[in-house]
Structure formats: structure tokens, C-alpha cells
Amino acid sequence: MCGIVGYIGRKEKKEILLDGLQELEYRGYDSAGIAVIEGEKLNNFKAVGKLENLRNKTNTFESEGFGVSIGHTRWATHGKPTELNAHPHLGAYSYVVHNGIIENYQELKKELQNEGVTFLSQTDTETIVHLFEKYHKELGDPFKAFEKTIERLEGAYATLLITEAAPDTVFFAKNGSPMLLGFDGNEVYFASSDTPIIGKANEVYYLEDGEYGYAKEEEVKLFDATGEKSFTKQALTADKALAQKDGYRFFMEKEIYEQSRVMSDTMIGRILEDSIYFEELPEDFFEGIYAIKICACGTSYHSALAASYLFERIGKMRCDVEIASEFRYKEPFLTDKTLFITISQSGETADTLEALKMAKAAGLKTLTICNVDNSSIVRESDAAILTRAGIEKGVASTKAFATQSMVLWMLALYVGQIRHSVSEETLKREIDAMLHTPKALVVEDKLHERIHRLSKRYLHGHGFFFIGRDIFYPLALEGALKLKEISYLHAEGYPAGEMKHGPIALADSELFTIALMPRSLLYDKIKSNVEELSARDATILAISPEPFELADDFIQTRYDSHPILEYFEMMVVTQLLALEISVRLGNDVDMPRNLAKSVTVE
Ligand code: F6R
């Protein structure tokens, strides 16, 4: 995820910015940059790759004396990770850094281009600085120009802007992405999370959505839609490790809670009022394509499997899915009317990459769904759709899986839309449901507390069966994988209807069945499968919006209006269950034994 730092004061600004960005490294980035205004002098440096590259570039630059400064680490979402796309972005005399996504940037960009503005980058961010300079020319006042700029922005953002027109000032705004102000005497710090300012500032103010303002050495003014407002600073925590995890106990826990927000990022610009749009796909991308084959590993394979139901049901396109390591050696029969999709969180998984190369060699068109731009798999593919989950630190994948599922759902609908296989009514219903996903993913305190309490009953036994039908079968596989990875307990995912064909022989009170029982899809079918298990005395934990009297334990979910909303809600429950069991067993949640985040060997 992108990171922001800023500083107003007399200390060496370059060092403060670079140290601050270093503290944000754990969030992941692919390029970085800083801009400093000292007196009349404006300096700007950018570099692709590690911060070390930026350090080398700024070797001979020193910034002493009073000045204002901003810095940024970028995780590519709009445009490749290049120096031109790295922040800060320059207008004629101003610089801007930004986190989040400006949803209406294309419309703003067109408007500015029509007025003669030249854009250097492919980013949404650059519109901010040009808008600011346009309004500055019109209004003559930098703050009024900033205020007017902010009014025009739609989407989620946190932004800092500096300008030669007000060389002692940093303009700031927040809406949907985090941003804080830090204070030490007259010095003012800015950052997208506490870590860069711990040990530097002693007080902090966390901006609320819709707040904006400006800061100078001895003056900080805060505004929102109602006008100027006062604010109360608070003492700053000194615990860096806790701050990195935004106060959560584990990265995995933080990432589970982040899912609601990143899902909005995944959708931005892709869900229009009554259609789906992928800027990444040429209009004729699906021309001549009659089938889809998806290849992936582990969790990414599970999202693929769920998608295969959607491509067939919604997109009316044949879709089959293969585990990449199996595909490689089966001498697959490939036809050129098949679109070959790879899914990978890291973009570096060796088996998936090799499968992709094989498909390319056979002349297939290729598409990848990935979280890391410029990764090997993205570079190798004809087209790529980024999932925009931000870096995932927990080895057990959570938000990457959620965003993969979301992109695939949108893609299935997109296929249906361009092939005219979905009615307007279905399109509307699916889009409505998509827009509800961030809400379905909000983790309520009472849900987490209930799962925490229940988890103590599931620390022993001779195994877990996660069962579900339809798209809840891949979700059952994923739930079982999460539990295995971090609890080291034996768990299997199974299609509920298959239990009676063998596995039911294992049923007894020490066999834990986690039953995914959505109300909106095949409820009666799964109910009778669970009844069969209950009759054999299996211990049942039912996850459903519908109370189920035969369950030993029951976790009630909220949504029953659309199967995929139920899917996402149940996904969160299974993730939290694995997490709480792992914590009780004293395991290392974020770095489970024997596992690596990126599997670059066969
Ligand atoms: C499980 C997990 C792994 C990965 C698998 C593929 O939590 O993360 O199963 O999904 O190693 O990795 P990517 O998606 O990077 O190709």
C-alpha cells in the first residue's frame, strides 16, 4: 500500500522523509519519491524499486534551514511502477502526494487536457496538482484553490500538496484513506500511519474523513464541510511494532479487518452505474474466445474454483480450473479459442508462471489477476488486472483471496455483459450486491468476540471437515486451508453432497464439521447433508443466517440476499476461526512453520 510522510521545520528534511518512508516499507511499494521546498528552492527526487535507490539519488542533496517537504512510497494501481508514475507529482510550481484512488480522475483529466494541460504520468494523482494550479490561477489564493480542488475529488484519498505559491505551507486532506498530523513544538509532521513519526513527534491528531486544511510552522488550521473547526491532540504511542499492525495483534488480523476497505479499492472505476468496465482490457479482448481455463495454486486456486461457477452461471462461458503444478506435466490439450487465466497474489509462484509460459507457447491469449504490478506473472501475461489489496504480510492469505474473488466476480459479469448473456435485471442485481460487499466484510466486535469464545472448544479432536455446496465448496476448501496453515490441525474441505460417498465413515463426536449454510443458495440441500452428519453424532458448527437446531454451535451471519454476500461474510468467519484457534494454541499466526509467502521454487 502507498505511504505518505511530510514535515515542516528546520531539521534535515531529506533524512526525516527517507527515515519515515523506511518505516513504511513493511506496507510494500514499488517506487518512492520526495519533494522539498526551502526558500525559493524546490527539489524533487524519485526512484523505482527499493528506497536504497532513492537514497543513492539524494546522496549529495542536503536540506537545512526552514522548509516544507513531502514524501511517498507507491504501490502501483493506475499505471506501471515507473519513475514518471512515482509521486510526488509535479505541476508547474507545485507537488502532490496521494494515497487511495480518485474515482473521477478520467473525467477530470479530460477536462484539464481540453484546457491545454499536459499530463506526464498515467496516474490518477496527477489530476490533483493540475486542478490545484488551475484554481490557483483563477482564484489567486492557494488555500481557496486547494479547497476547490478537494471539492472536485471523488473516491478515497489522503493527500499532501506543497507549492511555490505558499512556500511555508503544507496543504492536507483526508477522505477514506488514513492521514495524521504529528507535533513536536513548532514542527509539524504528516504521515499515513504512526510508525514514521514515533520517536519524532510527541503528540498526534488523526484526521477524520472529510477534514482538510493547511499547516505552517506555527499555525495549523483544520476545516470540514461545516467550516473551520478546533481539534484536540493526543499523546503518541511509543510502540512501533503495535503501530505497524495498526494496533492489531497480528498482521493477519489487521488484514482480515482491512478487507472491507480494500474491496472498495478493488471496485473503484470498474463498477459503473449499470455496467462493468476494465480499463486493462481492450474492447475486443474476448473476441473469438469460447472457453476459459484458470491455473493457480493454493488459496488462489480456491478463488479460481469459485469463479468457475460464476463464469458458467453468469458469463455463460465454459470454464475449467487446474492446479498449476498438475497442469504442467499432464501434457494438456490446449485450443486457441481458450483464454488462459492465471491467478496469483505474489505474481512470482513458480508453478503458475511455468503454466502461463506453456499456455503462451501454445498460442493462447493470457490474462493474469494479481496483486503485484510488474511481477513476473504480470509481465509475462498479455493483460493483467490488479486486485489492489495492498501488500499482504500474513503468510496465510486473506485480503488477497477476498480481492481475487471480487475481481473474478466482476470479470464473470463483464463476460456476461459483452456476450449479452445477462439480462439488464441480472446486471443490476449483481452490481447492487457488489456495492454491498464492503458492508458484508465489516467485522463486528460481537462476531469476533463470539468466535473467540467458541474457539476454545475446537483445539483437539481428530479432524475438521469444512463443507459447502456450489461456490461454498471452494470456500470450504479455503477455510480448511486457513485452519491447517496456522493451527497445524488436520482439516479438509469437502463438497457437502460428497460426504455420504465415503468421508461420513469418519463421523463421530470428535469429528468437527464446519458447515457453510447460506440461505440464498441450496439451503435445503446442505441442511439435509448436515442432518446426515448430525445423526452420526458429528460435532457441528453451523455458519448460517438461519438458526439450525441440530448444530452444537452456531454462528449467525447477517446477509441472505445474495449468495456472494453470504460467501464473503462466511469467509470472514472462517478466517477469524482459524486465527483464534491458532492464537489459543500459541502458534505464530503471521509466520506459520514450514510456509513461505512467495513460493518461487517448484
Ligand atoms: C495460503 C497461501 C498459498 C498461496 C499459494 C499461491 O494462505 O497463501 O496457498 O495462495 O502459495 O501463491 P500466489 O497466490 O502468490 O501465487
Side-chain angles (χ1 to χ4, degrees):
M1 280 311 229
C2 304
I4 289 181
V5 290
Y7 171 69
I8 303 178
R10 284 159 203 283
K11 294 199 180 111
E12 164 57 273
K13 280 154 284 298
K14 173 185 83 177
E15 288 306 326
I16 288 182
L17 296 178
L18 290 176
D19 286 355
L21 293 177
Q22 194 97 45
E23 293 293 345
L24 292 173
E25 269 202 312
Y26 73 96
R27 302 183 87 92
Y29 64 103
D30 39 50
S31 55
I34 60 170
V36 178
I37 299 182
E38 264 176 337
E40 296 298 293
K41 272 204 323 255
L42 206 152
N43 293 284
N44 173 224
F45 303 88
K46 299 182 189 190
V48 173
K50 291 282 149 210
L51 272 175
E52 206 42 46
N53 302 344
L54 186 59
R55 273 195 195 280
N56 291 338
K57 275 202 164 174
T58 54
N59 246 343
T60 53
F61 170 64
E62 281 174 20
S63 67
E64 281 159 359
F66 176 77
V68 299
S69 57
I70 55 179
H72 191 265
T73 43
R74 172 170 187 257
W75 175 277
T77 54
H78 284 82
K80 295 270 156 216
T82 60
E83 221 167 90
L84 271 184
N85 286 336
H87 304 208
H89 286 285
L90 172 67
Y93 51 88
S94 321
Y95 280 107
V96 71
V97 292
H98 154 242
N99 282 356
I101 294 173
I102 306 298
E103 213 168 325
N104 58 336
Y105 86 99
Q106 276 167 324
E107 171 196 322
L108 296 172
K109 189 169 175 174
K110 253 189 221 122
E111 176 184 318
L112 289 159
Q113 281 171 329
N114 288 342
E115 290 168 16
V117 175
T118 309
F119 278 75
L120 295 176
S121 76
Q122 300 159 300
T123 65
D124 50 341
T125 305
E126 199 184 334
T127 49
I128 303 177
V129 72
H130 294 308
L131 260 189
F132 169 79
E133 292 187 350
K134 164 188 150 115
Y135 290 129
H136 182 235
K137 261 178 229 136
E138 280 173 27
L139 303 166
D141 177 277
F143 179 60
K144 285 201 179 112
F146 184 71
E147 199 166 34
K148 186 105 196 254
T149 303
I150 295 305
E151 268 171 32
R152 298 286 317 275
L153 306 182
E154 285 168 22
Y157 55 81
T159 185
L160 296 181
L161 183 142
I162 57 176
T163 174
E164 283 175 17
D168 57 348
T169 308
V170 173
F171 298 94
F172 57 85
K174 170 201 172 0
N175 193 35
S177 293
M179 171 76 89
L180 55 84
L181 310 179
F183 302 92
D184 180 26
N186 280 341
E187 291 172 312
V188 188
Y189 294 84
F190 307 82
S192 49
S193 79
D194 329 32
T195 33
I197 64 163
I198 291 176
K200 296 193 170 86
N202 43 41
E203 285 181 308
V204 66
Y205 175 71
Y206 297 92
L207 290 168
E208 301 283 342
D209 284 343
E211 288 183 341
Y212 62 94
Y214 64 86
K216 302 180 183 203
E217 202 172 20
E218 285 176 16
E219 184 186 14
V220 177
K221 293 276 187 200
L222 187 70
F223 301 80
D224 67 10
T226 61
E228 190 178 340
K229 59 192 285 198
S230 58
F231 61 97
T232 312
K233 302 171 192 169
Q234 52 178 279
L236 180 64
T237 170
D239 187 339
K240 249 183 210 172
L242 202 66
Q244 277 199 349
K245 292 175 190 149
D246 288 348
Y248 293 102
R249 296 167 296 170
F250 310 99
F251 281 112
M252 181 184 173
E253 187 177 36
K254 168 174 170 269
E255 286 155 7
I256 293 171
Y257 275 76
E258 267 174 6
Q259 291 179 122
S260 167
R261 183 177 55 73
V262 295
M263 214 54 133
S264 306
D265 293 348
T266 304
M267 287 188 280
I268 281 178
R270 293 169 174 165
I271 299 191
L272 313 179
E273 214 168 288
D274 51 6
S275 61
I276 302 292
Y277 171 72
F278 284 104
E279 167 177 65
E280 302 83 346
L281 302 182
E283 248 172 56
D284 60 355
F285 193 72
F286 279 90
E287 242 165 58
I289 297 293
Y290 294 101
I292 291 174
K293 185 182 276 296
I294 317 184
C295 240
C297 303
T299 288
S300 299
Y301 167 73
H302 297 153
S303 71
L305 214 51
S308 67
Y309 290 81
L310 304 180
F311 279 119
E312 301 215 345
R313 184 173 299 142
I314 307 176
K316 303 286 179 245
M317 173 92 82
R318 211 190 83 210
C319 176
D320 58 300
V321 182
E322 306 213 29
I323 290 179
S325 56
E326 286 300 309
F327 173 83
R328 284 179 66 180
Y329 301 103
K330 70 182 279 202
E331 297 181 28
F333 176 67
L334 300 169
T335 54
D336 61 1
K337 295 195 169 31
T338 304
L339 173 68
F340 192 82
I341 302 184
T342 41
I343 305 178
S344 174
Q345 175 276 128
S346 62
E348 301 298 342
T349 303
D351 284 321
T352 311
L353 181 59
E354 276 315 308
L356 169 61
K357 286 181 181 163
M358 280 171 62
K360 275 186 84 178
L364 269 66
K365 191 182 268 188
T366 57
L367 167 68
T368 202
I369 290 162
C370 188
N371 199 33
V372 183
D373 199 0
N374 230 25
S375 55
S376 308
I377 295 179
V378 166
R379 277 185 276 119
E380 193 69 33
S381 298
D382 295 325
I385 301 178
L386 295 180
T387 49
R388 303 179 182 160
I391 195 168
E392 193 174 62
K393 295 278 281 185
V395 165
S397 183
T398 52
K399 62 177 180 168
F401 173 74
T403 52
Q404 286 169 351
S405 302
M406 188 72 209
V407 166
L408 287 159
W409 179 17
M410 289 191 282
L411 192 63
L413 191 56
Y414 179 75
V415 170
Q417 176 187 305
I418 55 173
R419 287 163 62 89
H420 307 292
S421 61
V422 282
S423 63
E424 267 178 37
E425 201 188 339
T426 308
L427 196 60
K428 190 174 169 331
R429 180 183 112 102
E430 296 301 306
I431 287 180
D432 261 11
M434 283 172 183
L435 295 173
H436 272 90
T437 45
K439 273 202 188 132
L441 285 161
V442 169
V443 183
E444 287 183 351
D445 288 350
K446 72 174 195 297
L447 173 76
H448 196 159
E449 179 51 32
R450 170 137 182 83
I451 294 172
H452 166 70
R453 271 189 293 113
L454 278 183
S455 62
K456 63 176 170 289
R457 299 192 207 163
Y458 294 91
L459 308 177
H460 61 288
H462 57 68
F464 287 77
F465 269 96
F466 284 69
I467 60 167
R469 299 183 77 121
D470 203 277
I471 55 171
F472 294 84
Y473 158 51
L475 187 62
L477 290 173
E478 175 58 11
L481 180 64
K482 284 296 84 95
L483 186 65
K484 268 191 275 230
E485 286 182 292
I486 59 173
S487 74
Y488 319 142
L489 296 170
H490 178 72
E492 275 187 72
Y494 237 81
E498 272 291 294
M499 291 299 283
K500 58 177 152 315
H501 298 289
I504 203 164
L506 293 171
D508 67 17
S509 61
E510 295 293 285
L511 177 84
F512 300 141
T513 301
I514 314 294
L516 307 179
M517 304 175 70
R519 194 71 196 89
S520 58
L521 194 68
L522 302 171
Y523 180 75
D524 292 333
K525 299 281 173 206
I526 175 99
K527 189 167 169 236
S528 47
N529 297 142
V530 181
E531 279 162 2
E532 286 154 16
L533 281 156
S534 163
R536 272 108 191 145
D537 210 25
T539 296
I540 314 278
L541 165 56
I543 304 173
S544 179
E546 190 80 19
F548 181 56
E549 69 282 4
L550 293 178
D552 299 86
D553 284 319
F554 174 59
I555 294 174
Q556 188 155 28
T557 47
R558 287 165 293 153
Y559 285 84
D560 57 9
S561 51
H562 190 290
I564 306 184
L565 294 180
E566 294 206 63
Y567 170 99
F568 282 127
E569 230 194 316
M570 291 184 187
M571 175 196 76
V572 171
V573 173
T574 56
Q575 292 167 342
L576 288 173
L577 184 68
L579 176 98
E580 289 302 331
I581 291 177
S582 172
V583 175
R584 284 192 189 270
L585 292 171
N587 299 344
D588 187 338
V589 171
D590 286 329
M591 298 239 269
R593 69 185 186 201
N594 307 337
L595 299 180
K597 189 69 190 158
S598 187
V599 185
T600 51
V601 290
E602 185 173 351

